[in-house]
Each structure stands twice: as structure tokens, then as C-alpha cells.
Amino acid sequence: MHKRILVVEDEASIREMVAFALRKADMEAIHAADARAALVAVADTPPDLILLDWMLPGMTGLELARRLRAEERTADVPIIMLTARGEEMDRVNGLEAGVDDYVVKPFSTRELIARIKAVLRRSQDDDATGSIEIGGLRIDGPAHRAYAGDVQIEIGPTEYRLLHFFMTHAERVYSRAQLLDHVWGGSVYVEERTVDVHIRRLRKTLEPFGLDGLVQTVRGSGYRFSATP
Ligand code: CA
């Protein structure tokens, strides 16, 4: 099956260029010139991924992203935002709106296709994951919940994503840069020390259950999730 990518972009030349690159990569492009057309397009069959321009006439890309996230049919469809330089400051808002990744204009279609493939791969991993249990800690992938035994753990969204990544990639060491890439989607505006902050929070979340030792520091390398001390 071809992956169907919805391209929401008001500039026809960019839309055409992206559609051409998608076809070459064996993917199908669906066009929308504004938010209204995008909503019509997703109402029928939700696409596999949405490429969303930040600056659109009428409803902005950011507003549209929030709306797509709020609707059950499109809540899990990955979104890659296309932004112009100088719009970086607003990216934090984008993260909160649930955007999966960003590509800054002007971009090469090669880079864009690589990002699309990476995001599609991540979302497929999520679907296939289901429930995982390691060392007394369990995550329910589809429900985005974590449990210690039968007790549900209160966990923040970023800590959950981090934990989910660790548990689906246990026993391997990841550098801060790799964790940024996998968990934060390689967003350039997140600094590496952000990883340390969220690792600390994740350990604090697991501490009352005596499970914080699962998240291990590997000196000079990064972090690892392991049931072996
Ligand atoms: Ca635009």
C-alpha cells in the first residue's frame, strides 16, 4: 500500500515540488491549499501523515494542527510542520499542539522525504507496540499509560514518550543527541540538557515504586533502560 500524505500548503509551486518528490518516493500526495480544504480531505479517509505549512490563509497551520489533534479520527495522524526561518520561536507552541517534527524552508526534498520516513516509522512502531512489561514496569502503548504492578503511574507526556522509547529499545545505550532525535523528533531548538531534565523527572516519577533504577546513566555515553542493575 502506498502511504498517503496530505500536503497542506497555499503556495502551489511548493505543493507541486513536494508532490513530485513524494511520487518519486512511492508515496501518494493529496493536495490542500488551505485549512478548509484539509479538513474536507481528512473527513473522508485520514491520511498516513500530514505535511502542514505554518503560514496559511485563514486558519493558521498551528490552529489546524490543534484541531486535528482534538478530533478522534485524526488525533494519531503524524504531523510535520513546514516553517519559514524566523518562525522558530513559535515552535514551542507547535510541540504543545502535538506536532511530530519540523522542516524549515527552504528545504531539500531529499531531507523532507527522510523526515517523513522517520516519522512514519516511529508511528508504526507505536501501533505495533501494544503492552510491554520490563522489570515490574508496564506500559500500555495504545492507552499511553504506565503501571507499576496494578498501580497506574501519574506521568507527564514527555516522560511517557521517553519511557515508551526506552521500553521499546531496552538494553541499548543512547546518547543525548540520539534521544533527542528519537523522542523529540530531532527538533533543533531543544538542547541536549533538556534530555537530562526529563530523565530526572522520569526517575522521580518511578522512584516511589522503586523502579527508578531501570533508567541508567552510562558514563560518557548517555542513558540505557535495563532491568539488570
Ligand atoms: Ca504559506
Side-chain angles (χ1 to χ4, degrees):
M1 271 289 279
H2 293 288
K3 292 289 180 192
R4 297 170 66 247
I5 314 294
L6 175 63
V7 185
V8 191
E9 164 66 75
D10 55 314
E11 281 173 65
S13 59
I14 296 179
R15 231 167 41 227
E16 291 302 331
M17 176 186 79
V18 170
F20 182 74
L22 287 171
R23 277 196 299 274
K24 256 177 60 185
D26 220 17
M27 292 184 255
E28 186 189 336
I30 307 153
H31 297 248
D34 56 27
R36 186 189 298 260
L39 288 169
V40 171
V42 298
D44 191 18
T45 313
D48 294 299
L49 184 142
I50 300 168
L51 276 180
L52 187 48
D53 183 32
W54 187 276
M55 291 300 278
L56 290 170
M59 191 190 291
T60 67
L62 187 62
E63 287 171 306
L64 179 58
R66 287 213 176 92
R67 182 137 169 206
L68 292 166
R69 279 289 166 264
E71 279 173 28
E72 202 185 334
R73 292 174 63 78
T74 50
D76 293 325
V77 178
I79 298 173
I80 296 179
M81 208 89 179
L82 303 175
T83 72
R85 264 179 223 294
E87 290 168 1
E88 274 99 324
M89 286 309 288
D90 277 339
R91 290 171 167 210
V92 177
N93 290 324
L95 257 199
E96 282 162 7
V99 168
D100 295 88
D101 202 359
Y102 290 86
V103 174
V104 178
K105 292 177 182 175
F107 50 82
S108 74
T109 51
R110 208 172 134 183
E111 179 200 356
L112 181 69
I113 297 295
R115 297 286 195 94
I116 289 172
K117 285 184 175 167
V119 169
L120 283 173
R121 224 173 12 245
R122 273 208 306 271
S123 74
Q124 268 163 6
D125 286 349
D126 272 1
D127 290 345
T129 298
S131 179
I132 301 174
E133 182 160 6
I134 299 169
L137 184 61
R138 182 169 64 87
I139 49 166
D140 181 343
H144 285 225
R145 288 196 172 131
Y147 299 87
D150 291 332
V151 183
Q152 193 186 329
I153 301 172
E154 289 287 326
I155 187 166
T158 304
E159 284 69 49
Y160 177 82
R161 288 217 311 275
L162 191 55
L163 180 62
H164 182 277
F165 177 76
F166 273 141
M167 290 186 74
T168 50
H169 300 80
E171 306 297 338
R172 272 177 267 174
V173 180
Y174 289 93
S175 68
R176 288 168 180 80
Q178 286 172 322
L179 287 172
L180 271 186
D181 202 36
H182 288 289
V183 180
W184 281 262
S187 311
V188 285
Y189 61 97
V190 182
E191 295 173 52
E192 290 195 4
R193 66 192 162 92
T194 305
V195 175
D196 300 326
V197 171
H198 288 282
I199 291 274
R200 262 201 305 279
R201 284 192 201 156
L202 176 57
R203 282 186 178 139
K204 219 168 170 176
T205 303
L206 299 176
E207 203 178 2
F209 308 96
L211 297 171
D212 49 309
L214 292 167
V215 182
Q216 301 168 358
T217 303
V218 181
R219 269 189 72 186
S221 301
Y223 297 101
R224 169 180 56 209
F225 186 92
S226 173
T228 316

